[in-house]
């Protein structure tokens, strides 16, 4: 079934002009039922009811992405298999992190749905892998365009679900669309190699081939961006996918998948399972029908995922945690460095794997840096997603209790609280935590090596380059390190010796560089996490050796 043409038939306009997606979902499902000459089963009838109830709200959100008031809690099916959305009897509540109020319910997938989703992906794999790479790239380009056209609606969905400011969610959506657009251009440029031979009658070459069925398991912190970073190269390379978003914040992922369908993605190529990771995720990554696993999440869960994949020796890539240091030397431009350092730990309330959670400062400038950081942290404005201030709440009660507990433990271990550490005034509801700075003298303190995943910055001092390297490399993680200096030679020496997959100089992360891979070392995982090599991670290399026979004429 060609979804672009069906969409045109239903709505009477080109697919790229469509805004609300649930009208199309309802009409498409009803049409499928009619075409099969059968009445919907009870579960399908529930889906029809759910989509009817949601249609008015989604239409309103398409016209006004800032809408926050709805008349009733909205139900959403969480399972997409072979082009049809359904939902089971079990329901997860969607909670606004800023208020603690329920505003949606997701009908979750069953463990038995894993078999059906993998089977659907397997059935679609051969045709999708044989689809022209140029055609796959064109489809991803259409998907990217739909994301850009719907960026305000998508940003509102992610912002409220995660709790981040709307402008931050908008940037995540733009990055997601950009990843898709970038990867689309590489779909038909994935090549092998022609190899030298010892004699002219031999010929050798390699080709890159898709794995087949890929399982992708994602976290809740930047759902749109991470969906694009994994789905784009997997699909561009010719794989089919079973995607499991986090049950904490799946709404924008569902919306993105709907736009992929609108762009023309065939049924079965992308399937979605939504539910608790300990059940669904475990069943998915250990499934014998899965050919490749991609996981983004914590180190502890990553180990469990590896164990599950090992049952069938399934290839795996892991993007795990981080404890990223900002390293400030005496010649650093503090007017540039300090605002960036503060943003690196308060963006998304510090709930990023690459958050700048460690601040290492040369002891000769510690007083100046400390004062400027504290002043900037004190100025951070906290609010709900639609207030669009500097920082939102933590995502849920569990996360708030965990981060608060780490801060309390650090204080018991001797850390000095310089600012924050508690709930901000005037924010009695929700899961807000003040931006927090802990000065830590004990280099062996647990808080130095823990991934806190909250707006908590630890402050340490160093004496020289060797000492700075000792501190920077002193944790189990190796994701990102940022060096602040105007000495180019020093910057290059530090970049060579830091044990991290990414090093930034006088900036945080990869701003301004196109195609920079999101590499990682040590306990941060093993993945390129997109960038110019992303398609290679979702393909395997086949080597072909041929002996050319003489003519039989």
């Amino acid at each position: 079934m060609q979804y672009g043409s069906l969409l045109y038939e239903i709505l009477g306009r080109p697919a790229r002009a469509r805004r609300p997606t649930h009208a199309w979902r309802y009409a498409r499902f009803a049409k499928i039922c009619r075409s099969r000459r059968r009445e919907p089963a009870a579960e399908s009838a529930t889906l029809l009811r759910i989509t009817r109830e949601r249609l008015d709200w989604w239409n309103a959100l398409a016209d006004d992405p800032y809408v926050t008031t709805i008349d009733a809690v909205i139900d959403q099916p969480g399972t997409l298999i072979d082009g049809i959305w359904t939902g089971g009897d079990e329901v997860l509540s969607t909670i606004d992190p800023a208020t603690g109020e329920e505003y949606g319910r997701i009908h979750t997938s069953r463990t038995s749905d894993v078999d059906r989703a993998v089977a659907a992906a397997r059935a679609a794999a051969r045709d999708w892998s044989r689809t022209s790479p140029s055609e796959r790239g064109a489809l991803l380009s259409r998907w990217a365009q739909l994301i850009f056209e719907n960026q305000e609606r998508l940003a509102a969905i992610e912002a409220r679900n995660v709790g981040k400011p709307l402008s931050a969610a908008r940037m995540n959506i733009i990055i997601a669309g950009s990843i898709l657009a970038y990867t689309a251009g590489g779909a038909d440029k994935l090549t092998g190699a022609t190899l030298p031979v010892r004699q002219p009658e031999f010929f050798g070459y390699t080709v890159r081939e898709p794995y087949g069925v890929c399982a992708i398991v994602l976290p809740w912190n930047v759902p749109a961006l991470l969906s694009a970073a994994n789905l784009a190269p997997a699909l561009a390379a010719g794989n089919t996918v079973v995607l499991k978003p986090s049950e904490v914040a799946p709404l924008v992922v569902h919306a993105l998948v709907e736009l992929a369908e609108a762009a023309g993605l065939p049924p079965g190529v992308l399937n979605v399972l939504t539910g608790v990771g300990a059940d669904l995720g475990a069943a998915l990554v250990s499934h014998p029908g899965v050919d490749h696993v991609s996981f983004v999440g914590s180190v502890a869960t990553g180990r469990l995922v590896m164990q599950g994949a090992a049952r069938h020796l399934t290839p795996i890539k892991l993007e795990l945690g981080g404890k990223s240091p900002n390293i400030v030397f005496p010649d650093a431009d503090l007017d540039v460095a300090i605002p960036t350092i503060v943003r690196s730990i308060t963006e998304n309330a510090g709930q990023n794997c690459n958050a700048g959670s460690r601040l290492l400062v040369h002891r000769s400038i510690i007083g100046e840096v400390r004062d400027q950081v504290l002043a900037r942290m004190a100025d951070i404005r906290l609010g709900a997603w639609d207030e669009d201030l500097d920082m939102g709440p933590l995502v849920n009660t569990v996360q708030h209790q965990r981060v608060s507990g780490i801060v309390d433990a650090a204080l018991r271990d001797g850390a000095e609280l310089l600012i924050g550490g508690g709930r901000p005034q005037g924010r009695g509801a929700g899961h807000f935590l003040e931006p927090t700075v802990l000065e830590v003298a004990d280099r062996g303190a647990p808080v130095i090596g823990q991934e806190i995943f909250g707006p908590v910055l630890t402050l340490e001092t160093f004496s020289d380059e060797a000492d700075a390297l000792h501190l920077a490399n002193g944790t189990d993680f190796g994701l990102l390190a940022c060096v602040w200096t105007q000495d180019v030679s020093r910057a290059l020496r530090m970049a060579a010796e830091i044990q991290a997959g990414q090093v930034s100089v006088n900036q945080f992360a990869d701003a301004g560089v196109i195609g920079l891979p999101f590499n990682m070392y040590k306990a941060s995982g093993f993945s390129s996490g997109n960038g110019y090599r992303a398609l290679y991670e979702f393909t395997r290399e086949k080597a072909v050796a041929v002996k050319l026979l003489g003519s039989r004429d």
Side-chain angles (χ1 to χ4, degrees), residues 327-344:
I327 309 167
V328 184
F329 285 94
D331 63 337
D333 185 340
L334 297 185
D335 290 339
V336 175
I338 299 300
T340 305
I341 290 167
V342 170
R343 283 197 301 272
S344 76

Side-chain angles (χ1 to χ4, degrees), residues 128-129 136 187 190 208-211 232-239 535 538-539:
W128 181 245
S129 67
R136 294 198 299 263
L190 184 64
R208 306 294 307 189
E209 296 182 341
Y211 280 99
L235 296 172
N239 299 283
L535 272 72
F538 286 94
T539 57

Side-chain angles (χ1 to χ4, degrees), residues 43 46 50 76-79 86-92 106-110 113 274:
E43 180 182 90
T46 299
I50 290 170
Q76 170 157 322
T79 305
T86 61
D89 296 330
E90 296 292 325
V91 174
L92 287 173
I106 301 166
H107 291 254
T108 60
S109 308
R110 305 178 183 90
D113 290 329
T274 308

